[in-house]
């Protein structure tokens, strides 16, 4: 059974300071009760030979679980996790019509073979086709992109005419794990100021795996900036009538086998789901 550790010493201090709590005391207690340290998550991170944090939010219990809440508040480039938001903005502005909109390959060599073909929108999303989404961002344009980023309250993006098709991969843009989950939660609960049609298309596109036990929706991301590899896996999982949101962010340690980095982001997240009994592993 998973062991749950609260910030016990601080809680005792808050409770024992006086007979009557101030509003500040109540706020501190509430924050502490909502953030639960799970040492097993740190063991998962360590065994994977990476640094970072797994952050899981239980929607029904309104509680966050993590090995490192400080790391979870550190902002990083969103990398391809931004394809969720970029897709929503594209749908809202009719840059793409639906998940079957076709992106023609111009024959130029691309980084991955899976990108060197004509792709419909949903496949461009799942194959994480950077050239396709650069084309989308350029069509949206700086003004509309910034307008929607503010409207959707998505992280802290730095977008201008020189960075419109790269800002999520390099530069000063950043989003932290709490912000990722907040955005996904508002999206899931239909609280974003977008059309129902865009929401429904995006929710279909985000499904990674669905079986009798759970439905998993999300997106991975990988940036390389200032000599540092940074990896994401964000989304939500629905299991036994409950919904859990997650944002995993990791960086490889020295002598890490980078061939494993593509899978390690999902691997550590699934192991955390197992520790929390969200899924069976």
């Amino acid at each position: 059974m998973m062991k749950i550790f609260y910030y016990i010493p601080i809680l005792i201090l808050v409770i024992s300071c006086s007979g009557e709590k101030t509003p500040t005391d109540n706020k501190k207690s509430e924050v502490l009760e909502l953030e639960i340290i799970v040492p097993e998550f740190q063991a998962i991170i360590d065994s994977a030979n990476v640094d970072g944090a797994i952050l899981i939010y239980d929607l029904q219990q309104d509680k966050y679980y993590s090995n490192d809440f400080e790391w979870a508040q550190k902002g990083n480039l969103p990398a391809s996790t931004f394809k969720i938001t970029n897709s929503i903005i594209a749908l809202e502005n009719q840059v793409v019509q639906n998940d079957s909109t076709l992106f023609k390959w111009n024959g130029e060599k691309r980084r991955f073979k899976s990108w060197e073909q004509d792709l419909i929108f949903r496949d461009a999303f799942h194959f994480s086709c950077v050239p396709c989404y650069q084309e989308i961002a350029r069509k949206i344009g700086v003004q509309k992109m910034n307008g929607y980023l503010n409207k959707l309250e998505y992280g802290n993006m730095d977008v201008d005419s020189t960075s419109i098709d790269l800002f999520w991969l390099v530069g000063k843009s950043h989003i932290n794990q709490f912000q990722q989950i907040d955005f996904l939660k508002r999206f899931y609960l239909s609280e974003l100021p977008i059309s129902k049609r865009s929401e429904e298309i995006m929710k279909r596109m985000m499904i990674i795996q669905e079986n009798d036990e759970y439905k998993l929706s999300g997106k991975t991301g990988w940036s390389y900036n200032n000599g540092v590899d940074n990896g994401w896996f964000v989304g939500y999982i629905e299991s036994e009538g409950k919904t859990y949101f997650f944002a995993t962010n990791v960086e490889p340690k020295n002598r890490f086998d980078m061939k494993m980095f593509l899978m390690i982001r999902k691997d550590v997240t699934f192991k955390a789901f197992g520790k929390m009994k969200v899924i069976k592993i």
Side-chain angles (χ1 to χ4, degrees):
M1 182 177 291
M2 183 190 72
K3 297 178 181 178
I4 298 178
F5 293 78
Y6 291 81
Y7 296 108
I8 300 297
I10 302 177
L11 277 173
I12 292 172
L13 179 62
V14 171
I15 293 170
S16 63
C17 281
S18 65
E20 185 175 338
K21 289 186 179 181
T22 67
T24 303
D25 290 333
N26 289 331
K27 186 175 182 181
K28 287 180 181 178
S29 296
E30 181 182 356
V31 169
L32 292 167
E33 290 170 1
L34 293 179
E35 295 184 356
I36 301 171
I37 286 285
V38 185
E40 289 89 344
F41 286 7
Q42 187 60 53
I44 292 169
I45 291 287
D46 291 339
S47 65
N49 196 30
V50 293
D51 292 316
I54 301 164
L55 182 67
I56 295 177
Y57 174 71
D58 183 331
L59 179 63
Q60 281 67 40
Q61 297 296 320
D62 190 26
K63 291 182 179 180
Y64 290 91
Y65 300 82
S66 182
N67 59 298
D68 190 339
F69 285 103
E70 185 175 347
W71 185 290
Q73 293 179 25
K74 185 176 70 169
N76 290 285
L77 286 160
S80 285
T81 66
F82 182 68
K83 286 183 173 67
I84 298 171
T85 310
N86 206 356
S87 298
I88 290 171
I89 298 172
L91 287 164
E92 286 292 280
N93 285 277
Q94 298 185 328
V95 168
V96 294
Q97 297 304 311
N98 51 52
D99 55 358
S100 297
T101 296
L102 184 65
F103 291 84
K104 297 283 289 183
W105 176 43
N106 61 10
E108 292 181 356
K109 186 171 179 59
R110 290 175 170 176
R111 183 177 178 184
F112 299 109
K113 283 293 181 183
S114 61
W115 298 355
E116 294 180 345
Q117 59 180 315
D118 294 346
L119 292 169
I120 59 173
F121 189 36
R122 63 174 173 270
D123 290 338
F125 179 83
H126 285 287
F127 289 145
S128 210
C129 179
V130 170
C132 298
Y133 275 85
Q134 288 180 309
E135 179 184 334
I136 287 171
R138 288 191 292 266
K139 287 182 178 179
I140 292 170
V142 174
Q143 185 174 354
K144 286 183 178 179
M145 183 69 80
N146 276 316
Y148 266 87
L149 289 171
N150 289 331
K151 183 179 178 180
L152 299 175
E153 299 179 44
Y154 180 86
N156 299 277
M157 301 297 103
D158 183 29
V159 187
D160 59 28
S161 60
T162 66
S163 65
I164 182 62
D165 58 1
L166 282 173
F167 67 87
W168 63 93
L169 294 170
V170 296
K172 299 177 181 178
S173 296
H174 59 276
I175 187 169
N176 66 40
Q177 290 164 257
F178 283 98
Q179 290 172 320
Q180 290 269 27
I181 286 178
D182 173 71
F183 176 77
L184 289 165
K185 184 174 75 167
R186 287 184 287 121
F187 167 70
Y188 180 82
L189 296 175
S190 303
E191 294 174 353
L192 291 182
I194 61 175
S195 69
K196 193 67 178 176
R197 179 178 182 273
S198 295
E199 178 188 312
E200 289 174 351
I201 291 172
M202 199 63 235
K203 284 181 177 178
R204 289 199 304 269
M205 282 175 51
M206 286 176 63
I207 297 172
I208 297 172
Q209 188 175 359
E210 188 172 6
N211 54 42
D212 292 338
E213 186 183 355
Y214 61 82
K215 180 164 74 172
L216 175 71
S217 303
K219 188 74 187 72
T220 56
W222 182 352
S223 66
Y224 182 77
N225 198 38
N226 296 322
V228 178
D229 288 281
N230 185 269
W232 286 102
F233 185 33
V234 307
Y236 50 88
I237 185 167
E238 299 163 279
S239 175
E240 296 183 350
K242 296 182 179 180
T243 304
Y244 302 84
F245 295 83
F246 61 90
T248 295
N249 183 264
V250 294
E251 294 177 357
K253 291 183 179 179
N254 291 335
R255 299 182 180 179
F256 181 86
D257 182 359
M258 291 306 296
K259 289 182 290 186
M260 303 294 293
F261 200 57
L262 278 172
M263 62 175 291
I264 207 70
R265 301 160 296 176
K266 288 185 177 180
D267 186 53
V268 297
T269 307
F270 269 85
K271 286 179 178 177
F273 290 153
K275 289 293 183 185
M276 291 188 64
K277 310 300 183 186
V278 175
I279 62 172
K280 299 173 184 176
I281 57 172

